[in-house]
Amino acid sequence: MAGPMKIDFVSDISCPWCIIGLKGLEEALDRIGDEVDATIIFQPFELNPAMPAEGQNIVEHIAQKYGSTPAQSAANREMIRARAADVGFTMNGSEQSRIYNTFDAHRLLHWAEEQGRQAALKHALFEAYFTKGENPSDHAVLARIAEEVGLDGDAAREILASGRYAEEVRSAEKLWQSRGISSVPAIVINDRYLISGGQPADAFEQALRDIAAEMQAAA
């Protein structure tokens, strides 16, 4: 077995390629099994840090940000929907979907790591946003999801109301940006190896095996 493998998964819960990449990574780790001792830590990245609380229509947002036409936006959603289905995740977005601010969700994820429930919360947030169409900037939604994954709901509500962990999240975001991360998902292994994008499980498996072999050779 290779030594411990720390996997920093830099992502945003409003990024469809992030859940696709996460599912691919998890499948790859399942295939590799106990050949590696991997720990995934979810790191914050905001695709739209200036997004207001009420959010913005997705078609309007994509048009403004990337210059896509409504037809191009619809075709892209269908392609992403198919890729997500391939990894067992349901995307239910439409032309009525909205993009929301995710900063408070990242604060809750920071706390969830301390509680040992970060992965469960991350998955639940992806499902709430992409599958159920819920608003991940709504404190009531966030607190309910926290409770559903076994976190203390009262503590979650207090954190959201107080602004706790804001400094920690901002600091982490700046750190990853300073390391050259400008798009997500970005998967960083042992602070040394970078795998970019929503790769399929086969690509992740090969990359992880290559990294594990290199780690063993260097040991």
Side-chain angles (χ1 to χ4, degrees):
M1 177 188 292
M5 184 179 286
K6 179 172 73 82
I7 303 177
D8 287 301
F9 194 93
V10 188
S11 61
D12 195 355
I13 61 164
S14 65
C15 163
W17 291 108
C18 291
I19 179 57
I20 291 170
L22 177 58
K23 298 286 279 188
L25 173 63
E26 290 174 336
E27 171 63 25
L29 288 171
D30 284 343
R31 294 179 189 177
I32 295 171
D34 59 6
E35 295 177 42
V36 299
D37 178 20
T39 300
I40 300 175
I41 304 168
F42 294 101
Q43 301 289 356
F45 188 98
E46 292 176 85
L47 289 169
N48 302 287
M51 184 63 66
E54 68 272 15
Q56 183 182 22
N57 174 268
I58 190 168
V59 177
E60 176 184 294
H61 175 76
I62 296 300
Q64 289 180 359
K65 192 169 186 177
Y66 303 108
S68 300
T69 66
Q72 290 171 329
S73 184
N76 190 53
R77 285 197 306 276
E78 286 305 312
M79 181 267 292
I80 290 173
R81 191 195 314 276
R83 281 291 305 275
D86 286 343
V87 296
F89 186 82
T90 301
M91 292 268 182
N92 285 325
S94 72
E95 66 277 2
Q96 301 303 319
S97 297
R98 299 186 72 78
I99 301 286
Y100 293 101
N101 189 289
T102 57
F103 184 70
D104 286 340
H106 286 299
R107 290 199 294 120
L108 215 56
L109 282 162
H110 184 93
W111 168 62
E113 183 192 357
E114 298 177 351
Q115 305 300 310
R117 302 296 297 164
Q118 193 186 38
L121 181 61
K122 186 76 167 183
H123 275 281
L125 288 168
F126 277 133
E127 182 181 4
Y129 178 59
F130 286 115
T131 306
K132 300 177 181 177
E134 296 186 291
N135 178 354
S137 69
D138 185 308
H139 287 188
V141 170
L142 290 172
R144 191 204 76 233
I145 294 171
E147 288 181 321
E148 290 174 352
V149 301
L151 290 161
D152 185 311
D154 288 336
R157 281 182 280 273
E158 190 278 327
I159 289 166
L160 292 166
S162 68
R164 194 187 310 172
Y165 301 119
E167 183 176 341
E168 289 86 344
V169 170
R170 297 266 189 238
S171 177
E173 289 177 329
K174 289 176 182 177
L175 172 64
W176 291 106
Q177 290 167 4
S178 74
R179 293 180 177 179
I181 303 301
S182 60
S183 63
V184 289
I187 299 89
V188 181
I189 315 295
N190 288 352
D191 298 313
R192 180 177 178 184
Y193 308 91
L194 171 66
I195 306 171
S196 297
Q199 303 292 337
D202 289 348
F204 276 120
E205 181 181 3
Q206 185 60 57
L208 292 174
R209 289 189 184 280
D210 289 346
I211 291 168
E214 188 172 326
M215 290 167 58
Q216 284 185 312

